[in-house]
Amino acid sequence: FTMNAVNLGNIHFVNEWGTEAEKTTLDSIMSLIKKRFVDELGIPVLIGEFGVANRVSESERIEYLDFYVKTAKKYGIKLIVFDDGSDLAVFNRWNLTWPSEAIIDTLLQ
């Protein structure tokens, strides 16, 4: 999602997200992760990189992040947002500010 400006051959990236099919797929993946690792093996799960590039509007970023965070929380999966200081940034390293309070609030829900 949001990486469509990158050409990686056969990989197709999209600039829109949020259909019921996409939401169902994400929910199903997290459900399977919980079932296999947490329920069956007793291994806690931490997703160490997730995010959405600033190539879309803030409201679109928030919509994706909101669903992702709520879905992970539903399955007891912990998250670490990926911040590359550029396209995926949520923190401005130069002036030590949070450019979007709404994005931070969404991540901390």
Side-chain angles (χ1 to χ4, degrees):
F1 175 52
T2 71
M3 301 301 285
N4 68 336
V6 178
N7 181 359
L8 296 176
N10 294 332
I11 301 173
H12 173 70
F13 293 101
V14 297
N15 205 17
E16 297 174 353
W17 186 89
T19 67
E20 286 307 312
E22 290 164 333
K23 290 177 180 180
T24 298
T25 298
L26 180 59
D27 189 275
S28 295
I29 289 168
M30 288 200 187
S31 174
L32 289 171
I33 289 169
K34 180 190 182 294
K35 180 180 178 190
R36 178 65 177 141
F37 291 99
V38 178
D39 298 342
E40 294 175 9
L41 300 174
I43 300 171
V45 175
L46 169 74
I47 296 176
E49 290 187 8
F50 84 103
V52 58
N54 60 16
R55 295 182 179 137
V56 297
S57 70
E58 180 179 66
S59 63
E60 291 172 306
R61 289 180 84 190
I62 290 169
E63 179 184 357
Y64 176 79
L65 294 170
D66 181 64
F67 188 82
Y68 201 100
V69 169
K70 284 179 179 174
T71 304
K73 188 174 183 178
K74 178 169 102 175
Y75 292 109
I77 296 172
K78 305 302 181 198
L79 301 170
I80 298 175
V81 67
F82 181 72
D83 182 330
D84 65 355
S86 182
D87 290 343
L88 292 156
V90 295
F91 181 72
N92 184 317
R93 292 166 171 81
W94 300 106
N95 61 19
L96 305 178
T97 61
W98 304 99
S100 171
E101 292 285 329
I103 287 177
I104 297 307
D105 289 344
T106 300
L107 292 170
L108 294 176
Q109 61 182 313

